[in-house]
Amino acid sequence: MQGTGVFQGDSDDLTALKAGDSDAWRVVLVRYGPSLLAYATRLLGDRASGEEITQDSLVNIYRTIDRFDGRCSLKSWLYRAVHNRAIDEIRRRKRYVDVGDQGLEDYFNAAGRWRHDCPGWDGLAAKQLDDKRLLGKVREQMDCLPHAHREVLFLKEVEGLDSAEICAALEISPGNLRIRIHRARAALRAAVVEA
Amino acid sequence: MVYIKCRDVVAKISDIIDHEASLMTRMRFYGHIMMCKNCRRYFDQFKEVHALAGKVTADDLPPDFEQVMGAVMDEIEGHKDA
Ligand SMILES: [Zn+2]
Protein backbone atom coordinates (compact mmCIF):
# COMPACT_ATOMS: atom_id res chain seq x y z
CA MET A 1 0.00 0.00 0.00
CA GLN A 2 2.94 2.30 0.35
CA GLY A 3 3.45 4.93 -2.28
CA THR A 4 -0.01 4.65 -3.78
CA GLY A 5 -0.78 8.15 -2.63
CA VAL A 6 -4.30 7.10 -1.78
CA PHE A 7 -4.05 7.62 1.93
CA GLN A 8 -3.57 10.90 3.63
CA GLY A 9 -0.46 11.74 5.60
CA ASP A 10 -1.87 10.62 8.92
CA SER A 11 -2.55 7.44 7.04
CA ASP A 12 -4.94 4.76 8.04
CA ASP A 13 -3.00 1.58 8.53
CA LEU A 14 -4.81 -0.66 6.11
CA THR A 15 -2.53 -3.63 6.67
CA ALA A 16 -3.23 -3.56 10.39
CA LEU A 17 -6.95 -3.06 9.78
CA LYS A 18 -7.12 -6.03 7.45
CA ALA A 19 -5.21 -8.09 10.03
CA GLY A 20 -7.94 -7.23 12.54
CA ASP A 21 -5.62 -5.21 14.79
CA SER A 22 -7.94 -3.77 17.41
CA ASP A 23 -5.69 -0.79 18.15
CA ALA A 24 -5.77 0.22 14.50
CA TRP A 25 -9.55 -0.11 14.50
CA ARG A 26 -9.78 1.96 17.64
CA VAL A 27 -7.87 4.75 15.88
CA VAL A 28 -10.29 4.60 12.96
CA LEU A 29 -13.32 4.78 15.25
CA VAL A 30 -11.93 7.75 17.12
CA ARG A 31 -10.93 9.51 13.91
CA TYR A 32 -14.09 9.02 11.89
CA GLY A 33 -16.75 7.77 14.30
CA PRO A 34 -18.04 11.18 15.41
CA SER A 35 -18.55 12.50 11.87
CA LEU A 36 -20.09 9.27 10.66
CA LEU A 37 -22.49 9.27 13.57
CA ALA A 38 -23.40 12.90 12.93
CA TYR A 39 -23.95 12.19 9.25
CA ALA A 40 -26.23 9.21 9.89
CA THR A 41 -28.14 11.17 12.53
CA ARG A 42 -28.67 14.15 10.23
CA LEU A 43 -29.90 11.93 7.40
CA LEU A 44 -32.18 9.79 9.52
CA GLY A 45 -33.43 12.62 11.66
CA ASP A 46 -33.07 10.96 15.04
CA ARG A 47 -30.17 10.02 17.19
CA ALA A 48 -31.19 6.48 18.13
CA SER A 49 -31.46 5.46 14.48
CA GLY A 50 -28.23 7.28 13.70
CA GLU A 51 -26.41 5.34 16.40
CA GLU A 52 -27.85 2.03 15.30
CA ILE A 53 -27.03 2.56 11.63
CA THR A 54 -23.51 3.77 12.42
CA GLN A 55 -22.83 0.78 14.65
CA ASP A 56 -24.17 -1.66 12.09
CA SER A 57 -22.20 -0.06 9.30
CA LEU A 58 -18.94 -0.04 11.23
CA VAL A 59 -19.27 -3.65 12.26
CA ASN A 60 -20.05 -4.53 8.67
CA ILE A 61 -17.05 -2.57 7.44
CA TYR A 62 -14.88 -4.45 9.88
CA ARG A 63 -16.17 -7.75 8.55
CA THR A 64 -15.73 -6.79 4.91
CA ILE A 65 -12.56 -4.70 5.06
CA ASP A 66 -10.85 -7.25 2.77
CA ARG A 67 -13.04 -5.95 -0.04
CA PHE A 68 -11.68 -2.44 0.37
CA ASP A 69 -9.37 -1.97 -2.60
CA GLY A 70 -7.94 1.46 -1.80
CA ARG A 71 -9.30 3.07 -4.93
CA CYS A 72 -10.78 5.78 -2.75
CA SER A 73 -9.76 6.87 0.72
CA LEU A 74 -10.85 4.86 3.72
CA LYS A 75 -12.76 7.94 4.83
CA SER A 76 -14.85 7.94 1.64
CA TRP A 77 -15.36 4.21 1.99
CA LEU A 78 -16.67 4.64 5.53
CA TYR A 79 -19.02 7.43 4.50
CA ARG A 80 -20.24 5.36 1.58
CA ALA A 81 -21.05 2.44 3.88
CA VAL A 82 -22.90 4.60 6.39
CA HIS A 83 -24.64 6.52 3.62
CA ASN A 84 -25.91 3.43 1.82
CA ARG A 85 -27.07 1.84 5.03
CA ALA A 86 -28.85 5.03 6.11
CA ILE A 87 -30.54 5.52 2.73
CA ASP A 88 -31.68 1.88 2.75
CA GLU A 89 -33.27 2.47 6.11
CA ILE A 90 -34.92 5.71 5.01
CA ARG A 91 -36.27 4.01 1.88
CA ARG A 92 -37.47 1.08 3.94
CA ARG A 93 -39.49 3.54 5.98
CA LYS A 94 -40.65 5.08 2.72
CA ARG A 95 -39.44 8.44 3.84
CA TYR A 96 -36.79 9.16 1.29
CA VAL A 97 -37.36 12.53 -0.32
CA ASP A 98 -35.72 12.98 -3.68
CA VAL A 99 -35.63 16.16 -5.70
CA GLY A 100 -36.87 16.88 -9.15
CA ASP A 101 -35.22 19.15 -11.67
CA GLN A 102 -37.46 22.10 -11.04
CA GLY A 103 -36.92 24.72 -8.38
CA LEU A 104 -34.63 27.33 -9.81
CA GLU A 105 -36.45 27.39 -13.13
CA ASP A 106 -39.55 28.85 -11.53
CA TYR A 107 -37.77 32.15 -11.01
CA PHE A 108 -37.31 32.86 -14.71
CA ASN A 109 -39.43 33.48 -17.75
CA ALA A 110 -38.89 31.97 -21.19
CA ALA A 111 -36.33 34.64 -21.98
CA GLY A 112 -34.27 33.68 -18.93
CA ARG A 113 -35.08 36.86 -17.02
CA TRP A 114 -36.51 37.17 -13.52
CA ARG A 115 -40.25 36.60 -13.52
CA HIS A 116 -40.63 38.72 -10.34
CA ASP A 117 -38.16 40.93 -8.55
CA CYS A 118 -35.88 39.09 -6.17
CA PRO A 119 -36.69 40.50 -2.72
CA GLY A 120 -33.98 42.63 -1.16
CA TRP A 121 -32.07 40.98 1.68
CA ASP A 122 -32.59 43.89 4.05
CA GLY A 123 -36.34 43.63 3.84
CA LEU A 124 -36.47 39.91 4.55
CA ALA A 125 -37.66 38.37 7.79
CA ALA A 126 -34.50 36.26 7.97
CA LYS A 127 -32.34 39.39 8.03
CA GLN A 128 -34.12 40.61 11.16
CA LEU A 129 -32.82 37.65 13.15
CA ASP A 130 -29.64 38.04 15.18
CA ASP A 131 -26.64 36.04 14.00
CA LYS A 132 -27.22 33.14 16.33
CA ARG A 133 -30.88 32.76 15.40
CA LEU A 134 -30.11 33.06 11.72
CA LEU A 135 -27.51 30.32 12.02
CA GLY A 136 -30.08 28.25 13.91
CA LYS A 137 -32.53 28.78 11.10
CA VAL A 138 -29.98 27.68 8.51
CA ARG A 139 -29.29 24.54 10.50
CA GLU A 140 -32.96 23.81 11.02
CA GLN A 141 -33.81 24.32 7.35
CA MET A 142 -30.89 22.16 6.30
CA ASP A 143 -32.41 19.29 8.26
CA CYS A 144 -35.74 19.82 6.50
CA LEU A 145 -34.39 19.67 2.96
CA PRO A 146 -34.91 16.61 0.79
CA HIS A 147 -32.32 13.90 1.55
CA ALA A 148 -30.63 14.35 -1.81
CA HIS A 149 -29.82 17.95 -0.83
CA ARG A 150 -28.97 17.19 2.78
CA GLU A 151 -26.37 14.61 1.81
CA VAL A 152 -24.24 16.91 -0.28
CA LEU A 153 -24.63 19.92 1.99
CA PHE A 154 -23.61 18.01 5.07
CA LEU A 155 -20.57 16.41 3.44
CA LYS A 156 -19.48 19.57 1.65
CA GLU A 157 -20.37 22.48 3.93
CA VAL A 158 -20.47 20.89 7.37
CA GLU A 159 -17.88 18.13 7.20
CA GLY A 160 -15.76 19.84 4.56
CA LEU A 161 -14.99 16.75 2.49
CA ASP A 162 -13.35 17.58 -0.81
CA SER A 163 -15.12 16.90 -4.09
CA ALA A 164 -13.27 13.66 -4.80
CA GLU A 165 -14.17 12.31 -1.38
CA ILE A 166 -17.83 13.20 -1.79
CA CYS A 167 -18.00 11.70 -5.28
CA ALA A 168 -16.49 8.48 -3.94
CA ALA A 169 -18.77 8.39 -0.91
CA LEU A 170 -21.96 9.04 -2.89
CA GLU A 171 -20.79 7.20 -6.01
CA ILE A 172 -21.56 10.10 -8.32
CA SER A 173 -19.57 11.89 -11.02
CA PRO A 174 -17.89 15.27 -10.46
CA GLY A 175 -20.31 16.86 -12.95
CA ASN A 176 -23.28 15.46 -11.11
CA LEU A 177 -21.86 16.65 -7.80
CA ARG A 178 -21.49 20.23 -9.11
CA ILE A 179 -25.12 20.26 -10.15
CA ARG A 180 -26.31 18.72 -6.90
CA ILE A 181 -24.32 21.11 -4.74
CA HIS A 182 -25.69 24.10 -6.56
CA ARG A 183 -29.28 22.89 -6.34
CA ALA A 184 -28.88 22.05 -2.68
CA ARG A 185 -27.48 25.49 -1.86
CA ALA A 186 -30.21 27.16 -3.88
CA ALA A 187 -32.82 25.12 -2.02
CA LEU A 188 -31.27 26.09 1.30
CA ARG A 189 -31.23 29.77 0.34
CA ALA A 190 -34.89 29.54 -0.63
CA ALA A 191 -35.81 27.75 2.61
CA VAL A 192 -33.99 30.30 4.77
CA VAL A 193 -34.78 33.48 2.88
CA GLU A 194 -38.23 32.90 1.46
CA ALA A 195 -39.77 31.03 4.39
CA MET B 1 -19.13 41.24 -23.80
CA VAL B 2 -21.52 38.47 -24.77
CA TYR B 3 -24.93 38.93 -23.20
CA ILE B 4 -25.69 36.48 -20.40
CA LYS B 5 -29.18 35.78 -19.10
CA CYS B 6 -30.22 36.00 -15.44
CA ARG B 7 -31.00 32.29 -15.43
CA ASP B 8 -27.45 31.50 -16.54
CA VAL B 9 -25.96 33.88 -14.00
CA VAL B 10 -27.81 32.17 -11.17
CA ALA B 11 -26.71 28.77 -12.51
CA LYS B 12 -23.06 29.83 -12.25
CA ILE B 13 -23.07 31.03 -8.65
CA SER B 14 -21.67 27.85 -7.10
CA ASP B 15 -18.88 27.73 -9.66
CA ILE B 16 -18.08 31.33 -8.75
CA ILE B 17 -18.00 30.83 -4.99
CA ASP B 18 -16.07 27.56 -5.27
CA HIS B 19 -13.52 29.25 -7.56
CA GLU B 20 -14.29 26.84 -10.35
CA ALA B 21 -15.40 29.36 -12.97
CA SER B 22 -13.18 30.35 -15.88
CA LEU B 23 -11.93 33.92 -16.21
CA MET B 24 -14.38 34.56 -19.04
CA THR B 25 -17.29 33.26 -16.97
CA ARG B 26 -16.26 35.40 -14.01
CA MET B 27 -16.07 38.51 -16.17
CA ARG B 28 -19.49 37.91 -17.68
CA PHE B 29 -20.90 37.02 -14.28
CA TYR B 30 -19.67 40.09 -12.44
CA GLY B 31 -20.45 42.31 -15.42
CA HIS B 32 -24.05 41.15 -15.24
CA ILE B 33 -24.23 41.37 -11.45
CA MET B 34 -23.18 45.01 -11.57
CA MET B 35 -26.01 45.84 -13.92
CA CYS B 36 -28.79 43.61 -12.61
CA LYS B 37 -30.39 44.31 -9.24
CA ASN B 38 -32.26 41.00 -9.02
CA CYS B 39 -29.22 38.83 -9.70
CA ARG B 40 -27.19 40.95 -7.30
CA ARG B 41 -29.72 40.43 -4.52
CA TYR B 42 -29.96 36.73 -5.19
CA PHE B 43 -26.18 36.39 -5.25
CA ASP B 44 -25.84 38.25 -1.92
CA GLN B 45 -28.41 36.03 -0.24
CA PHE B 46 -26.92 32.89 -1.70
CA LYS B 47 -23.44 33.85 -0.43
CA GLU B 48 -24.77 34.75 3.00
CA VAL B 49 -26.63 31.47 3.47
CA HIS B 50 -23.69 29.53 2.07
CA ALA B 51 -21.35 31.18 4.59
CA LEU B 52 -23.72 30.31 7.42
CA ALA B 53 -24.02 26.72 6.24
CA GLY B 54 -20.25 26.49 6.63
CA LYS B 55 -20.66 27.45 10.29
CA VAL B 56 -23.12 24.69 11.05
CA THR B 57 -21.25 22.08 13.00
CA ALA B 58 -21.87 18.38 13.21
CA ASP B 59 -24.13 17.35 16.05
CA ASP B 60 -22.58 17.28 19.46
CA LEU B 61 -21.61 13.80 20.42
CA PRO B 62 -24.24 11.95 22.37
CA PRO B 63 -23.27 11.35 25.99
CA ASP B 64 -23.07 7.66 25.26
CA PHE B 65 -20.77 8.02 22.27
CA GLU B 66 -18.18 5.85 24.02
CA GLN B 67 -20.83 3.22 24.40
CA VAL B 68 -21.79 3.42 20.74
CA MET B 69 -18.22 2.91 19.62
CA GLY B 70 -17.63 0.47 22.49
CA ALA B 71 -20.23 -1.84 21.03
CA VAL B 72 -18.35 -1.82 17.75
CA MET B 73 -15.06 -2.49 19.54
CA ASP B 74 -16.62 -5.39 21.44
CA GLU B 75 -17.61 -6.89 18.14
CA ILE B 76 -14.13 -6.39 16.73
CA GLU B 77 -12.36 -7.78 19.76
CA GLY B 78 -14.82 -10.63 20.16
CA HIS B 79 -14.36 -11.53 16.52
CA LYS B 80 -10.61 -11.64 16.90
CA ASP B 81 -10.77 -13.95 19.90
CA ALA B 82 -13.23 -16.27 18.22
ZN1 LIG C 1 -29.81 39.25 -13.85
Side-chain angles (χ1 to χ4, degrees):
Chain A
M1 271 302 129
Q2 273 173 356
T4 59
V6 170
F7 293 104
Q8 290 94 357
D10 53 336
S11 73
D12 300 304
D13 189 345
L14 193 59
T15 311
L17 294 175
K18 287 195 173 180
D21 181 320
S22 51
D23 287 339
W25 278 98
R26 201 179 304 277
V27 169
V28 164
L29 296 191
V30 168
R31 188 178 284 168
Y32 303 114
S35 331
L36 294 169
L37 178 60
Y39 182 58
T41 303
R42 296 301 281 278
L43 277 185
L44 286 151
D46 75 282
R47 183 153 272 170
S49 307
E51 290 179 9
E52 190 190 322
I53 295 299
T54 307
Q55 268 179 357
D56 277 8
S57 306
L58 288 170
V59 168
N60 197 45
I61 285 161
Y62 167 75
R63 289 184 181 147
T64 57
I65 190 68
D66 279 337
R67 282 188 228 154
F68 176 61
D69 55 14
R71 270 191 285 179
C72 62
S73 65
L74 179 66
K75 183 179 174 186
S76 296
W77 182 259
L78 294 168
Y79 270 107
R80 186 192 295 185
V82 170
H83 172 80
N84 288 339
R85 181 77 182 74
I87 297 299
D88 280 350
E89 177 62 21
I90 294 163
R91 289 214 165 100
R92 197 182 65 74
R93 297 180 192 171
K94 301 195 181 356
R95 282 195 349 209
Y96 188 82
V97 184
D98 206 344
V99 277
D101 280 345
Q102 49 68 257
L104 279 171
E105 277 304 297
D106 297 346
Y107 294 129
F108 307 103
N109 62 23
R113 292 174 189 274
W114 287 87
R115 216 182 277 279
H116 307 288
D117 275 352
C118 181
W121 184 224
D122 286 332
L124 293 167
K127 187 65 184 172
Q128 314 311 318
L129 300 172
D130 61 39
D131 290 353
K132 201 175 156 201
R133 290 217 173 99
L134 186 55
L135 180 59
K137 182 165 188 183
V138 170
R139 184 198 173 100
E140 181 190 300
Q141 292 301 321
M142 206 187 260
D143 287 340
C144 296
L145 291 175
H147 293 100
H149 289 333
R150 246 188 272 174
E151 293 158 15
V152 289
L153 284 179
F154 186 87
L155 296 177
K156 172 105 182 150
E157 323 280 36
V158 181
E159 282 300 316
L161 268 66
D162 66 31
S163 297
E165 287 172 333
I166 302 174
C167 288
L170 300 181
E171 299 177 270
I172 57 177
S173 70
N176 190 225
L177 177 64
R178 297 293 319 147
I179 293 168
R180 285 188 50 185
I181 283 174
H182 185 63
R183 287 190 183 145
R185 286 171 175 165
L188 183 63
R189 174 214 156 269
V192 171
V193 163
E194 295 174 8
Chain B
M1 189 73 63
V2 181
Y3 176 71
I4 173 170
K5 295 170 182 170
C6 298
R7 177 197 283 132
D8 301 330
V9 166
V10 164
K12 288 289 173 204
I13 292 178
S14 280
D15 286 348
I16 295 287
I17 60 183
D18 289 335
H19 308 288
E20 292 196 13
S22 67
L23 177 61
M24 182 55 81
T25 298
R26 289 204 308 274
M27 286 168 61
R28 285 177 181 163
F29 180 90
Y30 284 107
H32 181 107
I33 288 284
M34 273 197 295
M35 307 300 292
C36 176
K37 177 187 71 183
N38 284 323
C39 284
R40 193 162 58 240
R41 285 174 167 179
Y42 186 90
F43 182 46
D44 285 347
Q45 293 161 14
F46 195 103
K47 277 191 298 184
E48 177 87 24
V49 174
H50 165 69
L52 286 163
K55 289 185 191 160
V56 171
T57 48
D59 292 295
D60 294 334
L61 292 182
D64 57 347
F65 176 72
E66 294 291 327
Q67 220 175 310
V68 175
M69 292 301 140
V72 179
M73 276 317 295
D74 287 350
E75 175 72 23
I76 289 170
E77 284 168 346
H79 202 258
K80 193 176 64 176
D81 296 341

